[in-house]
Amino acid sequence: MFAHRSLLGVEPLSQADILTILDLSEDYVALNRRRDKKQAVLRGLTQINLFFEPSTRTQASFELAGKRLGADVMNMSVASSSVKKGETLIDTAVTLNAMHPDLLVVRHAMSGAVALLAEKVNCAVINAGDGAHEHPTQALLDALTIRRRKGRLQRLTVAICGDIAHSRVARSNIMLLDKMENRIRLIAPPTLLPPAVDRWRVEVFDDMAKGLEGADVVMMLRLQTERMAGGFVPSVREFHHRYGLDREKLAHAKPDAIVMHPGPMNRGVEIDAQVADDLERSVITEQVEMGVAVRMAVLDLLARQIPGEGA
Amino acid sequence: MILTNARLIDPASGRDAPGALWIEGDRIADVAFGAQPAPPEGATVIDCGGHALAPGIVDVGVSVGEPGARHRESFRSAGRAAAAGGVTTMVVQPDTDPCADDPAIVQFIARRAAEASPVRALPMAALTKGRRGLEMAELGLLRDAGAVAFTDAGNTVADARVMRRCLTYARTLGAPVIHHPQEPRLSDGACATEGEYAGRLGLPGAPAMAERIALERDLALAELTGARLHVDAITTQGALTALRRARDAGLAVTAGTSIHHLSLNEIDVGAYRTFFRLDPPLRAEEDRAAVAQALAEGLIDLIASQHLPWDEESKRVPYEAAAVGAVGLETMLPAALTLYHAGVMGLPALFERLSLAPSRLLGLEGGRLTRGAPADLALFDPDAPFVLDRFALRSKSKNTPFDRRRMTGRVLRTWVGGATVYDRAAEG
């Protein structure tokens, strides 16, 4: 029984919640591969995708998910100068709330912003990424991809590589994979590791060869270009040399290890084109497919919590 | 006027005993510990009911919005909050708009304070022009205009050469330099103390070491220049180690801490609660405990409220975008009394940190229950429990992290210069 009214993060989810979402997602994977993809479970409901930070892929994925389930979907991109960013947030929430949306999908550049907004509205809120905090649907779609490829979501060795310090994808994935009892390894230069990472239940490596040894899953993260300006790593060239995933480094992982990336990829930075396009190993396009299915499942489950007429 | 049946708290002599106190005009005329002589005919007698009577709190570093932000706090609202909190002297930050780096602004602040505030308010002036840390402000003229100290408030002077010149120049002016030691480049963009907690919340953090790095430089510059330096707030164990070393070496450096860093830790931030966003950011529990210990030992000289009022809008935003600071004038005493109730410090020692040490720092007469001292007094019941309601605060801004907390210790009455400026019984 999935009893959450909103999905603000992986943190409040139980193992059972996660499995409920993944199981329902499987149905939607099948549906999405049919010719007729239209369902009516969200008919009559309004979904607003509110993006304070530009996004093409995630927004498209949520839009498609909502539309396939029959919701009326509206996209709103709130261009925001860095100074005004916070000020408009609550006003925007209150304004949108007055339009009676049922499902609000929100992305914001600041940690905790989506939860703040959720306090001010009385509809279901889905966190589509808040600062360096959480991105729960990404972790769920990654979990679905892993389970389909590996046949299980337990007792796997998962290596997460790259800019972990600034990554909400990494945080949500670490939490989810830990809840599902996997072995997690973080591989990054020390400047891109979160502080006090030794207190997290992970193993930490700064050497790709050692960190990838025996890994079932290799999860690459995007290196944001602004990290270069911040002096976290000396150059793209050096980062690619030491932490870019190529065939040679991948050879240290298990022979059947899969390669994942949340996109968009920087080819030649954190991942080599050869590896990214290797259909034997790379599941990157499959992740995109799973993304739509997982978001449909999340929308569906949250919509079930919305009180009906007279309730 | 005679205050009888009081529990007299005198930090200067360290006494905590029953007695009576005579006020004549704006001064304390006499103090009697122990046996209480019968009051003379015709004198006004106030029965203190056995409650604690201590010198009023001198709060170094209060931000008031005049000029520039009266919607957040005026001298009237700040003064009323202070009176209700047992604070009889507010030492006012120069973080106004325009900034108090000009003698005319300092005079304006002093005049507005005298007109509107029921308690004393003394202006501090900026150490550097615009508090930007690039050029020394007109320290001599500012001193003549009435500035009691020089500080850039929450800004750290990053340039060691500028800081050195300021310290050297201020040496002969008879007013201390107060500095906020947080290494600015390491603190850039940070809104939390780097560590497990900030890491999990995904908040950008500055290492606790940013405080010690800045402090070590300041201590070295104080040694180089021989200047009188006061550090506004020490909040980390690392910085305490540095301070202890400097003290042991005989350096004349004093230090304060903030009531919030003494009472709260980083976990209190909870789910991005912006009223807990402070500068420096709240620290780990080990740091908080070490600071409390250092205060008890006397390594840290004084407690300040670091009162910084913000309107609701400035705090109803994501944590990273939220304004930095909290109001503290009215909650400082009950929060500080937790140290007394926990057996860490007696009341005379606590008022040494709240009243006498800040008076000494600025060359004021307050902080003593002795004949001839100003009759700036706070009568309080240290054991009265209450639950704080932030909307009941007298400050125009209600941004306190103590909202809905159980607190112990209520101010009953406050006198400034012998005149009652707050009376809980009368306010109902």
Side-chain angles (χ1 to χ4, degrees):
Chain A
M1 175 67 189
F2 189 86
H4 300 272
R5 283 199 60 223
S6 286
L7 180 69
L8 298 179
V10 167
E11 206 251 313
L13 298 181
S14 67
Q15 252 193 27
D17 291 332
I18 293 166
L19 293 174
T20 303
I21 297 170
L22 298 188
D23 291 347
L24 182 58
S25 302
E26 292 285 4
D27 297 348
Y28 285 123
V29 173
L31 176 79
N32 286 339
R33 289 180 178 177
R34 295 214 314 248
R35 186 171 182 279
D36 180 5
K37 304 173 180 67
K38 196 79 174 178
Q39 289 283 299
V41 300
L42 299 185
R43 193 170 60 196
L45 299 182
T46 304
Q47 173 189 337
I48 300 180
N49 297 334
L50 179 58
F51 279 65
F52 290 92
E53 205 182 47
S55 153
T56 316
R57 307 159 63 101
T58 307
Q59 185 168 317
S61 183
F62 270 110
E63 182 177 356
L64 211 48
K67 283 183 169 163
R68 285 194 179 155
L69 294 178
D72 292 314
V73 184
M74 186 183 92
N75 289 316
M76 265 187 80
S77 297
V78 185
S80 46
S81 78
S82 58
V83 189
K84 294 266 178 185
K85 221 173 250 174
E87 286 177 337
T88 57
L89 180 65
I90 290 193
D91 281 344
T92 310
V94 170
T95 306
L96 286 180
N97 194 46
M99 301 179 191
H100 296 288
D102 303 286
L103 296 149
L104 205 51
V105 178
V106 189
R107 168 170 289 190
H108 197 283
M110 290 183 187
S111 302
V114 178
L116 176 69
L117 187 140
E119 285 173 22
K120 310 292 170 190
V121 297
N122 36 31
C123 62
V125 176
I126 300 171
N127 181 0
D130 65 322
H133 181 224
E134 280 236 45
H135 189 358
T137 55
Q138 179 71 44
L140 287 162
L141 76 87
D142 288 343
L144 182 63
T145 310
I146 293 170
R147 195 173 76 167
R148 287 171 63 94
R149 281 297 182 122
K150 291 285 152 198
R152 65 179 200 273
L153 190 55
Q154 254 123 19
R155 299 181 315 280
L156 293 167
T157 299
V158 182
I160 304 177
C161 321
D163 183 4
I164 293 155
H166 304 96
S167 173
R168 54 194 173 213
V169 174
R171 270 178 191 67
S172 287
N173 261 312
I174 291 167
M175 249 181 282
L176 189 149
L177 292 166
D178 183 48
K179 280 175 199 274
M180 301 310 294
E181 295 160 25
N182 293 283
R183 195 163 168 185
I184 303 163
R185 295 180 181 171
L186 306 183
I187 311 172
T191 45
L192 292 177
L193 281 170
V197 72
D198 50 308
R199 311 271 280 272
W200 302 27
R201 294 203 297 185
V202 295
E203 295 170 86
V204 178
F205 297 85
D206 70 346
D207 182 281
M208 283 283 267
K210 285 184 191 137
L212 291 180
E213 197 69 53
D216 296 292
V217 177
V218 182
M219 214 178 252
M220 301 307 298
L221 298 171
R222 178 179 165 79
L223 183 76
Q224 310 275 359
T225 42
E226 57 261 36
R227 302 303 165 217
M228 289 299 159
F232 288 90
V233 288
S235 69
V236 171
R237 186 172 75 168
E238 175 158 339
F239 183 81
H240 180 67
H241 177 70
R242 299 192 64 205
Y243 297 98
L245 188 66
D246 54 21
R247 290 220 158 140
E248 201 184 319
K249 295 194 189 87
L250 184 58
H252 293 276
K254 279 194 186 160
D256 62 347
I258 55 169
V259 173
M260 308 179 78
H261 193 295
M265 283 183 279
N266 293 309
R267 287 166 185 267
V269 181
E270 70 267 1
I271 192 162
D272 236 44
Q274 269 194 325
V275 174
D277 301 334
D278 180 350
L279 295 178
E280 296 287 303
R281 315 297 294 274
S282 165
V283 296
I284 296 169
T285 48
E286 193 173 326
Q287 285 174 274
V288 178
E289 183 189 357
M290 295 306 119
V292 180
V294 155
R295 284 163 184 136
M296 288 166 80
V298 168
L299 289 167
D300 181 357
L301 287 167
L302 292 177
R304 294 178 196 181
Q305 302 296 317
I306 298 170
E309 301 302 332
Chain B
M1 184 165 48
I2 306 174
L3 314 183
T4 61
N5 191 22
R7 175 181 172 188
L8 298 175
I9 311 296
D10 179 28
S13 63
R15 290 173 86 170
D16 174 355
L21 184 143
W22 280 254
I23 299 175
E24 252 177 54
D26 61 354
R27 302 260 155 192
I28 296 171
D30 206 355
V31 183
F33 285 94
Q36 298 180 30
E41 281 296 308
T44 312
V45 178
I46 294 166
D47 186 339
C48 294
H51 294 306
L53 185 67
I57 295 168
V58 177
D59 191 1
V60 182
V62 175
S63 292
V64 180
E66 284 190 69
R70 273 181 77 177
H71 65 289
R72 285 171 18 204
E73 195 81 286
S74 65
F75 273 104
R76 173 157 176 74
S77 62
R80 288 187 64 224
V87 175
T88 52
T89 302
M90 302 187 288
V91 183
V92 180
Q93 295 280 28
D95 58 348
T96 46
D97 183 16
C99 161
D101 63 355
D102 184 297
I105 304 294
V106 171
Q107 282 162 352
F108 172 84
I109 290 170
R111 191 171 68 243
R112 280 293 302 143
E115 281 166 11
S117 168
V119 307
R120 297 179 204 274
L122 303 170
M124 296 196 281
L127 182 64
T128 65
K129 287 178 186 156
R131 302 192 298 121
R132 281 190 298 271
L134 303 175
E135 293 169 87
M136 192 193 308
E138 295 169 312
L139 303 185
L141 294 176
L142 291 164
R143 177 73 175 134
D144 291 345
V148 297
F150 306 111
T151 181
D152 278 353
N155 293 355
T156 305
V157 179
D159 187 326
R161 188 171 69 170
V162 173
M163 189 64 183
R164 179 198 177 179
R165 299 248 162 93
C166 289
L167 284 168
T168 306
Y169 192 87
R171 211 167 50 192
T172 58
L173 296 174
V177 169
I178 300 182
H179 199 227
H180 179 73
Q182 300 297 328
E183 211 297 308
R185 290 286 283 158
L186 284 177
S187 312
D188 224 10
C191 62
T193 302
E194 196 173 279
E196 186 189 4
Y197 191 68
R200 286 190 187 279
L201 287 179
L203 291 175
M209 192 62 84
E211 183 169 298
R212 180 176 142 200
I213 291 171
L215 178 67
E216 295 267 24
R217 186 208 68 174
D218 284 357
L219 293 170
L221 287 175
E223 187 181 327
L224 177 68
T225 59
R228 201 145 65 86
L229 174 70
H230 176 74
V231 179
D232 69 346
I234 300 256
T235 61
T236 59
Q237 274 176 302
L240 284 171
T241 312
L243 180 66
R244 185 169 283 122
R245 201 175 337 106
R247 280 285 183 75
D248 290 348
L251 212 59
V253 173
T254 54
T257 194
S258 107
I259 189 63
H260 295 120
H261 291 84
L262 209 47
S263 316
L264 306 166
N265 66 34
E266 59 187 352
I267 309 294
D268 288 305
V269 172
Y272 306 99
R273 293 192 289 168
T274 55
F275 283 4
F276 292 78
R277 179 157 186 209
L278 306 170
D279 176 29
L282 285 170
R283 305 301 195 183
E285 172 57 19
E286 301 87 72
D287 286 314
R288 190 207 63 79
V291 167
Q293 188 57 40
L295 183 80
E297 288 169 13
L299 178 61
I300 290 180
D301 302 88
L302 61 90
I303 308 172
S305 73
Q306 309 255 321
H307 181 86
L308 190 43
W310 286 105
D311 50 26
E312 299 287 299
E313 293 315 306
S314 309
K315 289 286 193 180
R316 285 176 63 201
V317 293
Y319 199 81
E320 285 171 60
V324 180
V327 293
L329 283 166
E330 274 179 85
T331 44
M332 173 152 66
L333 181 57
L337 283 170
T338 56
L339 296 172
Y340 162 69
H341 292 295
V344 179
M345 300 172 82
L347 287 179
L350 192 59
F351 274 83
E352 207 273 329
R353 315 293 190 269
L354 288 168
S355 185
L356 183 58
S359 297
R360 270 203 206 111
L361 170 70
L362 301 170
L364 310 174
E365 300 173 287
R368 301 165 181 83
L369 292 190
T370 47
R371 194 177 301 175
D376 294 358
L377 302 163
L379 178 69
F380 62 99
D381 177 355
D383 301 312
F386 69 102
V387 176
L388 185 83
D389 169 10
R390 70 187 184 101
F391 295 106
L393 292 176
R394 282 149 189 85
S395 179
K396 275 192 191 175
S397 298
K398 316 294 183 190
N399 54 311
T400 173
F402 293 121
D403 189 34
R404 284 172 291 171
R405 276 217 181 207
R406 291 168 191 280
M407 306 191 93
T408 308
R410 275 275 198 201
V411 175
L412 303 172
R413 194 158 171 169
T414 308
W415 292 266
V416 172
T420 300
V421 292
Y422 172 74
D423 185 351
R424 183 166 164 72
E427 300 218 353

